[in-house]
């Protein structure tokens, strides 16, 4: 992606599959919200749901749909989630299971992948603008995340540091972050398998029209 | 596998990862057992758990460990599940979620992949014996499944036919079977990605010593 080597069809596959992850993010944050008894924590955390769902139809999720539309996909084909890879579905569902069944500390720690997001997003925005200029109208999602991700990550990082006092809790938190990395990584591997090499989308999954 | 083109290391990766699926099968069957109020159904279904866990240490799961040992892996490395692919874990866990959260009809219908297993197992046994003769001591699992799978499948098929009376239920049953196919397929895709092409095992996952 960052080297400009993706075809339009591969970018469609990425945007369409990643939509399923995006669609589950506010549900994930609502689960975390539901697990805290601290109004201060809840107030800070609800910002994420507002950022994602917006005030009207103007949040991060809507922006992601606009990115998918900029790749040439009709909105309904994206929001139906009918053509996503089963492997992507399982990985995303494993994320919901992690925040639902782990401790609250683990749930919050699993969000810390955002610590590394802001520099990555800056690099990505630059690369997308340079290599895929026809995506320009769909880049609002990443532009908003440039400032949102570091704020969110700072709060979560401080909260985890404050609440993981024992060695055991610190290891739980670190393991939760590794599990979240696995979840993100697995989605990309499934996309690579289906749409790059060997390039075998499973039955029922999205197939690009253009190569 | 059937063409004899797998390396010993690739067979190890397969046996080690598939162990996680095998280890969850009796848990899956216990969930199904726990959901039926019909003693007749429960009696028929518990056969699966007995087949898998054995009377002592002689069931299907133990046979699978012996297959993994025949590929050259130490038992503990297999049973710890520490090196399995995250994608395999998510897919198998999605199977447990399916039988836990779907209707009992869907849970039973999802087992019907066994309808197609017995012919496949006969072909596989023949291919394994021919191409990988050093695996011979580990083939007990498949030898037992040759007769178990058709019995199990016949019972489940008749039960589904009897209980899926409306068009809606029939479609639920068919969709559950498709979902199970996705779950099996996704495991194989993850193995192929990591150990065949492009051949990139993720961090923490099993890496064969021999190529």
């Amino acid at each position: 992606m960052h080297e400009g080597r993706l075809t339009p069809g591969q970018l469609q596959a990425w945007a369409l599959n990643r939509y399923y992850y995006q669609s589950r993010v506010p549900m994930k944050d609502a689960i975390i919200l539901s697990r805290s008894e601290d109004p201060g924590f809840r107030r800070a955390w609800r910002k994420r749901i507002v950022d994602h769902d917006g005030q009207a139809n103007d949040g991060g999720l809507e922006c992601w749909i606009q990115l998918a539309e900029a790749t040439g996909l009709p909105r309904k084909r994206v929001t139906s989630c009918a053509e996503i890879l089963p492997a992507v579905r399982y990985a995303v569902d494993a994320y919901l299971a992690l925040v639902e069944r782990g401790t609250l500390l683990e749930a919050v720690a699993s969000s810390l992948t955002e610590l590394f997001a802001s520099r990555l997003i800056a690099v990505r925005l630059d690369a997308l603008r340079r290599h895929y200029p026809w995506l320009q109208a769909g880049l609002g999602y990443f532009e908003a995340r440039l400032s949102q991700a570091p704020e969110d990550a700072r709060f979560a990082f401080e909260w985890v540091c404050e609440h993981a006092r024992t060695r055991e809790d610190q290891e739980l938190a670190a393991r939760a972050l590794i599990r979240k990395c696995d979840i993100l990584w697995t989605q990309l591997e499934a996309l690579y398998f289906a749409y790059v090499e060997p390039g075998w989308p499973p039955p029922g999954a999205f197939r690009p029209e253009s190569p």
Side-chain angles (χ1 to χ4, degrees), chain A:
Chain A
M1 176 177 287
H2 291 186
E3 292 164 16
R5 292 164 61 197
L6 294 185
T7 64
Q10 288 169 331
L11 284 163
Q12 287 181 331
W14 166 68
L16 180 130
N17 275 280
R18 174 84 185 192
Y19 174 80
Y20 184 65
Y21 177 81
Q22 298 299 134
S23 75
R24 264 41 190 177
V25 165
M27 294 163 65
K28 177 270 296 181
D29 285 318
I31 294 170
I32 292 179
L33 207 64
S34 76
R35 301 192 55 190
S36 168
E37 294 171 347
D38 171 4
F41 175 89
R42 291 200 301 263
R43 277 190 292 273
W45 207 266
R46 79 183 180 207
K47 165 189 178 292
R48 294 167 178 254
I49 302 179
V50 173
D51 285 346
H52 222 78
D53 288 338
Q55 297 299 340
N57 218 3
D58 56 355
L61 194 54
E62 172 62 27
C63 286
W64 193 273
I65 298 172
Q66 287 166 12
L67 173 61
E69 287 181 319
T71 69
L73 290 170
R75 165 179 295 257
K76 277 209 176 154
R77 199 161 168 194
V78 180
T79 57
S80 73
C81 295
E83 297 171 79
I84 63 168
L85 296 167
V88 165
R89 187 182 296 275
Y90 306 147
V92 171
D93 292 351
Y95 188 26
L96 293 192
L98 169 61
V99 302
E100 213 163 46
R101 296 181 207 160
T103 62
L104 182 58
L105 176 66
E106 291 173 289
V108 174
S110 71
S111 76
L112 288 177
T113 42
E114 279 164 344
L115 280 173
F116 315 101
S118 64
R119 210 171 58 179
L120 176 66
I121 290 173
V123 171
R124 174 163 302 169
L125 258 177
D126 183 57
L128 292 176
R129 285 193 187 114
R130 194 145 34 97
H131 297 301
Y132 317 98
W134 43 276
L135 277 181
Q136 183 61 44
L139 299 183
Y141 174 81
F142 291 116
E143 284 154 3
R145 292 304 295 160
L146 267 182
S147 58
Q148 289 165 354
E151 275 175 51
D152 293 349
R154 194 162 43 241
F155 175 83
F157 185 71
E158 282 165 15
W159 193 91
V160 168
C161 287
E162 197 181 318
H163 289 80
R165 293 290 177 89
T166 65
R167 175 77 196 187
E168 202 183 7
D169 276 348
Q170 288 159 4
E171 282 182 356
L172 268 185
R175 271 202 298 276
L177 181 53
I178 291 170
R179 283 167 71 189
K180 168 71 176 301
C181 291
D182 284 345
I183 284 163
L184 295 173
W185 193 298
T186 302
Q187 291 176 63
L188 295 175
E189 289 190 337
L191 279 166
Y192 201 96
F193 177 91
Y195 300 109
V196 182
E197 183 189 351
W200 296 342
F206 173 75
R207 282 169 192 262
E209 279 168 40
S210 53

